[in-house]
Amino acid sequence: MLGIVRQKMLEQSLKKIPPAVSVLRSYSSAAKQMTIRDALNSALDEEMSADSKVFLMGEEVGEYQGAYKITKGLLDKYGPERVLDTPITEAGFTGVAVGAAYYGVKPVVEFMTFNFSMQAIDHIINSAAKTNYMSSGQISVPIVFRGPNGAAAGVGAQHSQCYAAWYASCPGLKVLAPYSSEDARGLLKAAIRDPDPVVFLENELLYGESFPVSDEVLDSSFCLPIGKAKIERKGKDVTIAAYSKMVGYALKAAETLEKDGIDAEVINLRSIRPLDRSMINASVRKTNRLVTVEEAFPQHGVGAEICASIVEESFAYLDAPVERIAGADVPMPYAANLERMAVPQVEDIVRAAKRTCYRSESREIDSQHCGGRS
Amino acid sequence: MNSASCAAKISTQPFSLNPTSLTSHDNPLVFPKPTSLFLGSTRKLRLSSSSKLNLHRRSGTVVAVSDVVKQKKSKSTPSLLITKEEGLELYEDMILGRAFEDMCAQMYYRGKMFGFVHLYNGQEAVSTGFIKLLKQQDSVVSTYRDHVHALSKGVPARAVMSELFGKTTGCCRGQGGSMHMFSREHNLLGGFAFIGEGIPVATGAAFTSKYKREILKEADCDHVTLAFFGDGTCNNGQFFECLNMAALWKLPIVFVVENNLWAIGMSHLRATSDPQIYKKGPAFGMPGIHVDGMDVLKVREVAKEAIGRARRGEGPTLVECETYRFRGHSLADPDELRDPAEKAYYAARDPITALKKYLIENSLASEADLKAIDKKIDEVVEDAVDFADESPVPSRSQLLENVFADPKGFGIGPDGRYRCEDPKFTEGTAHV
């Protein structure tokens, strides 16, 4: 919240400054690059130093410096009582973290991948998400579950599932999926400060990617609001809604589409639950066409929910059927070429956008070429 | 009750259908004769061994148990285990539990209570024996059989009864129900329907107690957590995971197994490779104690030791209480699989009758005192029912309340503002 206010103030102050000086300003404030890994690490570090109730728990978070090095350096800084290496007992340690959260401390539980959270899903849903309701507000659970989600490279079926839809269907949970470093920092800080259980879905392949960050993102009180999406690229012909890694693909698709004269608007959902339906609907009412993109299995997914929301609220504004791009409806194969077919690619998004603009062949012909949709 | 020296006996008191074996209870030197354990039989392994034999077999870590036994022997002759006040407190608590549960059964059959209701009749000694030794800030985590744990911990009978009726004056305003009793004030952390779910949560509460003392520097925080669960849960993975973590991090927790021999219709012996649950404690590095759960004084003695250990920071303990539920698993259970002879055997060991006998024989209370307590509790339970009857059902706006501690979690509405800021938000339908 504070971050947004400061951003507005910064923009206003920039407008008042004469052009030459403002160019210099924008160079210096946008020059810094930060990887997602550093963004998450710095967010954890700052939140732990600000509040001694925050502690980390998970496999390999301490001495191994984090399975993906997200928690690097934190054990040395905060000691083994606040950065806990756990035994390999997802159900057990997740329940322990939830029980601790009942008493007001703020655990950040790391799952090595969200696939392993399936062993602990009983505690995430039944002991964490539902408790504030069952106890009628007596016991709130300020816990964060974080870890990489979705497909990585060549890791096979049991390490590649995306859990956004599963967790987002459960009332009592908040589900966040950052894309850029700014998202990662702001949303993780918001999640740690939030008094409710938050599922924070990162992406392993994005950890090493750099994004530009402004000075106020680097400020230790920077925080993004939960429940608000972001328009990454303004456009007027078609809306492309995506989350996590697919936002990057959608932006690339938008560049390709621009050459063909289609001006795409890309929405970075940021928050899967609560979903920012009002922003998506407002965008569709402007562009009249929608493509949803996700890496997950297609049935009962995030795209299905967005489509239902549009049909309920903005049906009269649609000029074309909603296009839903998702992963293939198969467990993730291992072979590299099959894996590429099982995950949406930029070309799939481009084709789908063109279909909504009636610029490409019909669906039947298209589906022979395209592996990345149901 | 007279064999006070056997309070922490590390042996099982076997029940067997063979009438001659009933006398072998008193003879500690009967060696195990394995009877048929297969499929549907209610016979237990007739293992009885003296405390001494078992102690030799134990590893060195189980010092606490032998201390209790030694302590018992020195106290057994002249002094009594409880004072008059304590005795009456224990009696009243157990009578409250029993009367309340009986009233629950009545109300259920009259249609005022619904869903799943699991009654605690017969197991009162465990709840009273342990919980009455706790402070307000200590926590209790229970299962779906939690009415009596709530009452022993101090939640008013009115609040529990209203919760069962689904009224807004219940301890969770009707949103939890029979299986989900929570009370922040009394540190009752539920109430979990999944077996084994409460054990990690209890371990977490104990973890917080330690965290508060060591990291947040609240120096006097010595809160203990009790986790209650059954025999069926002891085959669940989460149980073992938590025994490991609690011993590893030396958490102030006591794992209390209410072994009533039956998990719905599954006999403990049919489900478990080694039915002696207390033995699983030393495998993880904590003491494992078996106690007669139908005797509140024995339970109390063991509880004192285990809770004291936890409070001093010496780590967790596993206590197996051999007990029995007089009714079925829930009010929907026809209870056809249990042997009537077994039920009669345990009915004869009713903990309330036993305590009553002890109090009267040792001149701690008179019949009149106890009758007065019976009458008082009857009135309390009647009053709870009347209160619950007269209480209102939850209002419509309560449906959407308390999903989130921060209601912005309901997201942004079509007008671009947070839904929770709209004053009509909870008055409408459930369309979110």
Side-chain angles (χ1 to χ4, degrees):
Chain A
M1 281 295 204
L2 205 56
I4 296 291
V5 171
R6 285 194 188 190
Q7 195 168 28
K8 289 208 173 99
M9 282 166 56
L10 196 61
E11 282 171 9
Q12 282 166 4
S13 60
L14 273 176
K15 281 180 198 150
K16 288 179 196 156
I17 295 162
V21 180
S22 76
V23 163
L24 278 174
R25 282 242 170 168
S26 59
Y27 274 167
S28 63
S29 64
K32 188 137 201 275
Q33 296 274 329
M34 193 183 219
T35 59
I36 302 272
R37 185 175 279 122
D38 290 335
L40 294 169
N41 185 288
S42 60
L44 287 170
D45 194 354
E46 285 161 21
E47 291 302 306
M48 284 180 82
S49 80
D51 186 352
S52 55
K53 293 207 212 88
V54 178
F55 68 96
L56 305 183
M57 201 172 194
E59 293 157 9
E60 311 293 8
V61 294
E63 291 191 9
Y64 198 78
Q65 309 298 324
Y68 296 98
K69 307 293 180 243
I70 305 294
T71 52
K72 188 170 180 183
L74 297 178
L75 174 67
D76 289 330
K77 210 168 164 188
Y78 297 104
E81 295 95 2
R82 289 185 69 195
V83 180
L84 279 147
D85 279 324
T86 61
I88 308 178
T89 54
E90 270 78 11
F93 71 71
T94 307
V96 170
V98 172
Y102 281 8
Y103 275 108
V105 289
K106 298 184 181 183
V108 178
V109 178
E110 172 171 317
F111 290 114
M112 205 180 275
T113 73
F114 261 94
N115 300 278
F116 307 154
S117 75
M118 287 200 288
Q119 297 205 327
I121 203 168
D122 171 35
H123 283 290
I124 299 175
I125 308 284
N126 277 330
S127 327
K130 297 183 183 171
T131 297
N132 198 55
Y133 193 79
M134 286 198 294
S135 71
S136 189
Q138 291 176 79
I139 297 178
S140 79
V141 191
I143 191 170
V144 177
F145 303 101
R146 53 160 290 271
N149 176 56
V155 291
Q158 292 186 350
H159 283 74
S160 306
Q161 192 167 336
C162 173
Y163 290 87
W166 284 23
Y167 288 122
S169 70
C170 183
L173 276 186
K174 295 176 182 171
V175 180
L176 303 175
Y179 163 62
S180 63
S181 301
E182 179 187 331
D183 291 351
R185 255 183 76 85
L187 291 176
L188 185 55
K189 278 167 171 289
I192 295 174
R193 293 177 200 180
D194 197 275
D196 287 308
V198 180
V199 171
F200 192 82
L201 304 170
E202 303 158 4
N203 188 298
E204 192 209 324
L205 297 175
L206 284 180
Y207 281 153
E209 276 204 34
S210 292
F211 294 86
V213 283
S214 62
D215 282 334
E216 40 116 18
V217 172
L218 294 170
D219 184 67
S220 66
S221 61
F222 175 67
C223 211
L224 286 174
I226 294 180
K228 277 194 147 76
K230 181 184 178 194
I231 296 184
E232 294 281 348
R233 181 186 194 280
K234 273 189 145 39
K236 55 177 174 49
D237 290 330
V238 59
T239 301
I240 306 178
Y243 62 93
S244 190
K245 189 154 127 260
M246 294 291 121
V247 176
Y249 283 31
L251 288 169
K252 288 202 195 100
E255 279 169 32
T256 312
L257 288 166
E258 203 177 0
K259 296 188 194 114
D260 285 323
I262 299 177
D263 190 16
E265 175 152 295
V266 175
I267 297 184
N268 172 4
L269 290 173
R270 279 184 173 173
S271 172
I272 314 293
R273 186 177 181 105
L275 201 53
D276 194 351
R277 291 166 219 268
S278 76
M279 188 185 284
I280 304 170
N281 274 283
S283 173
V284 170
R285 287 175 188 210
K286 188 176 69 172
T287 63
N288 309 123
R289 293 157 218 281
L290 177 63
V291 176
T292 68
V293 189
E294 59 191 307
E295 210 177 33
F297 299 139
Q299 188 164 341
H300 306 301
V302 176
E305 177 63 30
I306 295 177
C307 179
S309 172
I310 297 296
V311 163
E312 282 165 9
E313 293 176 35
S314 312
F315 183 65
Y317 292 83
L318 279 174
D319 284 349
V322 174
E323 290 283 338
R324 183 172 53 151
I325 302 286
D329 203 9
V330 300
M332 184 67 67
Y334 170 69
N337 65 327
L338 291 179
E339 190 181 31
R340 221 174 313 131
M341 285 202 270
V343 173
Q345 304 296 332
V346 179
E347 304 81 59
D348 301 317
I349 306 176
V350 170
R351 273 202 296 269
K354 284 187 177 170
R355 277 199 299 273
T356 61
C357 299
Y358 300 108
R359 301 277 190 91
S360 86
E361 308 96 22
S362 70
R363 266 190 206 189
E364 284 77 36
I365 300 172
D366 220 16
S367 63
Q368 286 167 18
H369 299 288
C370 163
R373 54 179 296 251
S374 54
Chain B
M1 211 76 69
N2 2 4
S3 54
S5 58
C6 301
K9 195 150 69 175
I10 327 312
S11 62
T12 55
Q13 290 288 4
F15 166 69
S16 168
L17 283 175
N18 185 344
T20 58
S21 72
L22 284 169
T23 56
S24 71
H25 284 172
D26 300 323
N27 180 354
L29 295 175
V30 171
F31 288 102
K33 279 187 223 162
T35 51
S36 163
L37 293 174
F38 282 102
L39 304 176
S41 165
T42 57
R43 293 173 191 219
K44 290 176 72 165
L45 273 175
R46 281 178 40 195
L47 276 183
S48 53
S49 38
S50 70
S51 335
K52 287 199 192 115
L53 269 177
N54 262 25
L55 277 175
H56 286 316
R57 279 191 230 139
R58 290 193 169 281
S59 66
T61 53
V62 190
V63 175
V65 173
S66 55
D67 278 349
V68 179
V69 174
K70 277 188 213 143
Q71 205 181 18
K72 281 282 70 338
K73 287 200 166 117
S74 62
K75 280 174 80 172
S76 62
T77 26
S79 59
L80 294 168
L81 290 166
I82 46 171
T83 64
K84 177 178 181 177
E85 290 76 33
E86 286 170 357
L88 292 177
E89 188 195 0
L90 296 179
Y91 183 78
E92 184 173 333
D93 195 52
M94 292 209 287
I95 286 284
L96 174 61
R98 182 67 62 88
F100 191 91
E101 297 292 70
D102 284 339
M103 184 58 78
C104 283
Q106 267 194 56
M107 292 296 114
Y108 189 84
Y109 293 126
R110 283 193 212 170
K112 298 215 184 144
M113 226 179 263
F114 38 89
F116 287 129
V117 180
H118 306 85
L119 298 182
Y120 202 74
N121 298 48
Q123 300 181 196
E124 295 89 359
V126 180
S127 174
T128 302
F130 268 94
I131 300 181
K132 282 302 169 196
L133 291 169
L134 295 180
K135 304 188 290 198
Q136 171 118 356
Q137 303 94 326
D138 294 326
S139 333
V140 167
V141 179
S142 177
T143 59
Y144 42 75
R145 209 179 293 282
D146 57 351
H147 307 166
V148 180
H149 293 141
L151 293 171
S152 292
K153 193 69 176 60
V155 182
R158 282 183 161 193
V160 181
M161 192 61 86
S162 296
E163 182 64 29
L164 293 171
F165 281 32
K167 301 292 177 82
T168 197
T169 46
C171 56
C172 299
R173 299 201 301 160
Q175 290 180 217
S178 164
M179 299 187 282
H180 305 294
M181 297 274 169
F182 289 86
S183 170
R184 159 65 77 209
E185 186 194 336
H186 299 281
N187 289 300
L188 174 70
L189 300 182
F192 289 98
F194 281 43
I195 61 156
E197 193 181 348
I199 307 177
V201 171
T203 313
F207 177 88
T208 305
S209 170
K210 190 162 180 252
Y211 190 87
K212 279 188 181 166
R213 193 174 55 240
E214 291 176 7
I215 312 292
L216 301 178
K217 306 290 181 217
E218 290 171 29
D220 54 350
C221 183
D222 60 351
H223 307 326
V224 167
T225 307
L226 297 185
F228 289 94
F229 48 94
D231 43 286
T233 310
C234 296
N235 295 326
N236 189 283
Q238 291 181 82
F239 169 62
F240 299 106
E241 292 181 18
C242 291
L243 286 183
N244 178 41
M245 285 192 278
L248 181 68
W249 295 328
K250 274 193 150 183
L251 300 180
I253 184 172
V254 182
F255 296 101
V256 184
V257 184
E258 295 170 324
N259 183 356
N260 57 20
L261 302 176
W262 290 89
I264 308 188
M266 189 68 169
S267 153
H268 178 55
L269 304 168
R270 284 180 66 208
T272 315
S273 57
D274 183 348
Q276 294 174 308
I277 300 171
Y278 65 89
K279 289 206 282 185
K280 300 178 185 183
F284 288 92
M286 69 177 83
I289 310 178
H290 175 277
V291 67
D292 174 6
M294 303 306 273
D295 180 339
V296 67
L297 297 176
K298 288 182 191 163
V299 171
R300 193 180 153 88
E301 287 307 304
V302 167
K304 268 192 206 162
E305 177 59 36
I307 293 173
R309 242 179 74 83
R311 244 190 250 295
R312 289 188 299 270
E314 291 165 25
T317 316
L318 175 66
V319 180
E320 179 186 354
C321 303
E322 183 195 330
T323 180
Y324 202 76
R325 52 171 164 85
F326 293 158
R327 288 182 177 265
H329 165 74
S330 71
L331 288 173
D333 175 18
D335 195 17
E336 288 158 347
L337 288 175
R338 299 195 299 176
D339 194 332
E342 184 188 71
K343 292 188 209 178
Y345 170 73
Y346 280 101
R349 292 168 59 191
D350 187 332
I352 294 178
T353 330
L355 179 65
K356 196 167 172 177
K357 186 159 168 261
Y358 182 84
L359 289 174
I360 291 178
E361 278 178 5
N362 291 288
S363 309
L364 287 172
S366 65
E367 279 273 1
D369 290 336
L370 301 179
K371 279 230 164 7
I373 292 181
D374 289 348
K375 188 160 178 298
K376 174 179 157 203
I377 293 297
D378 277 339
E379 282 167 19
V380 166
V381 173
E382 287 280 346
D383 168 71
V385 172
D386 291 335
F387 176 76
D389 264 335
E390 286 156 23
S391 298
V393 287
S395 63
R396 196 171 178 183
S397 58
Q398 206 181 304
L399 180 66
L400 295 177
E401 285 174 20
N402 300 128
V403 179
F404 294 109
D406 170 12
K408 292 207 206 78
F410 277 113
I412 296 174
D415 56 359
R417 287 180 13 219
Y418 282 108
R419 281 177 211 271
C420 58
E421 286 163 9
D422 180 352
K424 294 232 239 104
F425 175 53
T426 55
E427 286 170 36
T429 62
H431 175 73
V432 182

